[in-house]
Amino acid sequence: VSDDGFIVTASHLVAPSDEAIKRDLVQTYVQANYSCSGAACQSEYDLYFNNTYVAGLHKNFRVYQQNSDITKPGLTADVRASSPTADRDTAVIKVALTNTPAVALADSTAVQNQDAITVIGYPSGSVDMSNAATVLVPSVASGTITAIKQGGASDILKDATVFQTDAPIEHGNSGGPVVNAAGQVIGLVSYGDQDKVFYLVQSNDINDIVRQAGVVTKPGKIDTLWRQGLDSFNGKHY
C-alpha cells in the first residue's frame, strides 16, 4: 500500500499472540500423536504446554516476493498495526524495501451489489509446494459482490460491515486483494464459511488500520513512471 515496504494482509495470518500460537501448536501435536481427543488429552497437553522449549517460542514470519528464491530466507517482517479478527481482521506489516509498486485503495462506499471483482491470491488447491517455480505464482479469480452485510457468519468480522462474494476462494487466499474494474482495491479476503460464502474486509476499514500504522498511501516512483509511460504510449508518443 506504499512504496516503502508497507503491506496489508489479514490479521489472522500474522497477528495472533505468542500464547495463541503455542496453544495451537501443542494441541495439534498432542492430537496427532496420542489416541485421545478433547479433555482426554489434557494431561499430555499440560505436559507439552509447560515444556521449557515450547514456553520460549515466539512468532516470526517472512515475506517473499514473486521473484524470490523460496529455498532462501525471505524478507523479515514486523507488525505495525492490526485489528482483532472479530473487528476488521486487518494487519499492516513492514519489510525493508523501497521504490516498490503500490496498489490504490478505492472508496468502498461506492461499491454496489453485483459489482464485478477480481481476487488475487494463493489458494491451496492451485499451489504445488514441491515446485519452487510455481509456489509464488498468484492465481486470479473473478466473481461479483453478492451482498453488503453487517458482520460475517462467525466470530470473524462479526463487528464489521463486510462484502459478501461468490468469487471462488480457498484456504490460502486469506489476506489477498480484491480489485474492481478500475484496478483499485475494494477489499481484502478474510474468510469463508461452510456454505461457500466468502467475506471481504472493506477498503475504507483497511484504510483506517493503514492510517493507524502511520502509512501514507500514495503512488511511488515506479507507479508514477509506469502510468506516465502508459499515457505516452496511448498518445502514440513512442
Side-chain angles (χ1 to χ4, degrees), residues 79-92:
V79 178
R80 294 298 179 87
S82 67
S83 68
T85 55
D87 180 12
R88 290 177 284 190
D89 191 24
T90 300
V92 178

Side-chain angles (χ1 to χ4, degrees), residues 3-238:
D3 68 342
D4 52 352
F6 283 95
I7 300 170
V8 167
T9 187
S11 65
H12 74 257
L13 296 179
V14 299
S17 67
D18 291 349
E19 189 83 352
I21 292 173
K22 188 169 79 166
R23 289 187 183 281
D24 287 347
L25 179 66
V26 171
Q27 186 174 16
T28 300
Y29 176 80
V30 169
Q31 289 180 345
N33 290 278
Y34 293 86
S35 10
C36 63
S37 61
C41 287
Q42 195 61 49
S43 59
E44 285 84 4
Y45 180 86
D46 291 341
L47 173 67
Y48 285 99
F49 189 78
N50 295 309
N51 182 286
T52 53
Y53 293 108
V54 176
L57 288 176
H58 61 278
K59 67 176 176 284
N60 169 335
F61 60 95
R62 293 178 180 272
V63 170
Y64 290 86
Q65 297 172 273
Q66 192 170 343
N67 59 353
S68 297
D69 180 351
I70 63 166
T71 64
K72 298 178 180 178
L75 297 165
T76 302
D78 62 285
V79 178
R80 294 298 179 87
S82 67
S83 68
T85 55
D87 180 12
R88 290 177 284 190
D89 191 24
T90 300
V92 178
I93 63 178
K94 177 72 169 69
V95 295
L97 286 176
T98 57
N99 291 328
T100 59
V103 297
L105 294 173
D107 177 3
S108 52
T109 61
V111 176
Q112 298 182 0
N113 205 354
Q114 296 190 324
D115 279 358
I117 58 168
T118 300
V119 178
I120 304 171
Y122 300 85
S124 54
S126 67
V127 176
D128 180 2
M129 295 303 291
S130 65
N131 186 340
T134 66
V135 170
L136 298 177
V137 177
S139 294
V140 178
S142 299
T144 59
I145 298 296
T146 56
I148 300 173
K149 293 187 172 183
Q150 179 59 47
S154 74
D155 285 343
I156 300 180
L157 296 181
K158 67 178 182 180
D159 299 324
T161 301
V162 298
F163 293 136
Q164 178 182 298
T165 182
D166 60 2
I169 291 172
E170 297 179 39
H171 178 74
N173 274 112
S174 291
V178 182
V179 182
N180 64 15
Q184 300 169 320
V185 173
I186 59 97
L188 171 149
V189 176
S190 179
Y191 83 106
D193 62 26
Q194 294 178 344
D195 296 321
K196 296 296 182 183
V197 177
F198 306 100
Y199 298 96
L200 315 172
V201 181
Q202 296 190 359
S203 53
N204 286 7
D205 285 333
I206 295 170
N207 238 333
D208 284 344
I209 309 302
V210 168
R211 282 193 291 265
Q212 289 175 27
V215 181
V216 177
T217 56
K218 64 182 191 312
K221 184 183 297 184
I222 288 178
D223 295 287
T224 301
L225 293 174
W226 174 256
R227 285 164 176 75
Q228 287 174 357
L230 287 177
D231 288 343
S232 295
F233 181 84
N234 292 330
K236 300 188 183 302
H237 302 299
Y238 304 139

